[in-house]
Amino acid sequence: CLVLDGTDAKTLRARIFNTSNQPQVFLHEALLQPTELSLVSRNEKKVPFGNERRIMKFDNTLYRRLYRTLGPGAERELGRASFLRTGETYSMSWDAFRADGIRPGTYRAQLRLQHRSDRWVEGNIRDAASITRGVIPGIFKGTLVSNTLTITLP
């Protein structure tokens, strides 16, 4: 279960909970499999977030160590971010996404985490003989959607 809450008037926090009675493996990594924040104004205008990954160089290998296990009933914080006032508007960076020029007002905020992969790699990617590959059995593949949180930026 994906939960979005506010730690104060301008800070959002994302947490993931395991509501099952079995350990669950998941992948959340800001550059490879980020949570995506949606902000929608009262007049149904979606705030555009730019994807910073399109201008970055980074290793996009899904190493086994990037996957995390949550025990039954456990939770883990995935991240938090604050709205920063820049003159008359706000800006925010969330995982690999950034929005500028957010006007004061009331917004509905919601997170999505698309869990697409169950594959992993280990070893030195420059040495093919040292590479091992695998699949995590039973991992959830699909989209988690958080609750909707109403926020007001003064």
Side-chain angles (χ1 to χ4, degrees):
C1 152
L2 189 59
V3 174
L4 177 64
D5 59 17
T7 60
D8 62 42
K10 294 182 189 169
T11 303
L12 299 178
R13 176 177 63 170
R15 295 178 293 153
I16 192 167
F17 289 85
N18 179 357
T19 58
S20 78
N21 59 3
Q22 299 294 317
Q24 298 292 319
V25 179
F26 72 97
L27 174 64
H28 170 259
E29 208 288 327
L31 296 176
L32 301 174
Q33 191 162 276
T35 51
E36 296 180 37
L37 177 64
S38 170
L39 290 176
V40 180
S41 69
R42 278 201 171 151
N43 62 358
E44 299 301 315
K45 240 182 149 179
K46 192 170 180 181
V47 173
F49 277 80
N51 188 339
E52 301 291 305
R53 296 175 296 177
R54 63 183 166 71
I55 58 171
M56 300 170 85
K57 288 187 178 184
F58 60 93
D59 181 0
N60 63 0
T61 306
L62 292 174
Y63 293 102
R64 173 65 181 106
R65 67 181 176 270
L66 296 175
Y67 289 87
R68 303 283 182 247
T69 301
L70 269 182
E75 74 173 84
R76 183 180 183 99
E77 184 172 303
L78 298 180
R80 62 177 66 205
S82 296
F83 290 92
L84 301 174
R85 185 90 189 213
T86 51
E88 297 295 314
T89 62
Y90 293 86
S91 63
M92 174 180 263
S93 292
W94 187 274
D95 276 358
F97 307 100
R98 180 172 176 82
D100 294 303
I102 305 169
R103 298 194 178 284
T106 300
Y107 296 87
R108 291 188 325 270
Q110 190 173 52
L111 289 175
R112 297 174 75 80
L113 175 59
Q114 287 190 332
H115 215 276
R116 295 182 289 265
S117 184
D118 60 357
R119 302 190 180 283
W120 56 266
V121 173
E122 280 301 329
N124 182 346
I125 59 172
R126 299 183 204 297
D127 177 12
S130 75
I131 293 177
T132 56
R133 299 175 189 279
V135 174
I136 298 174
I139 195 169
F140 169 77
K141 288 170 86 174
T143 302
L144 294 174
V145 179
S146 77
N147 57 298
T148 300
L149 183 67
T150 300
I151 57 169
T152 299
L153 300 173

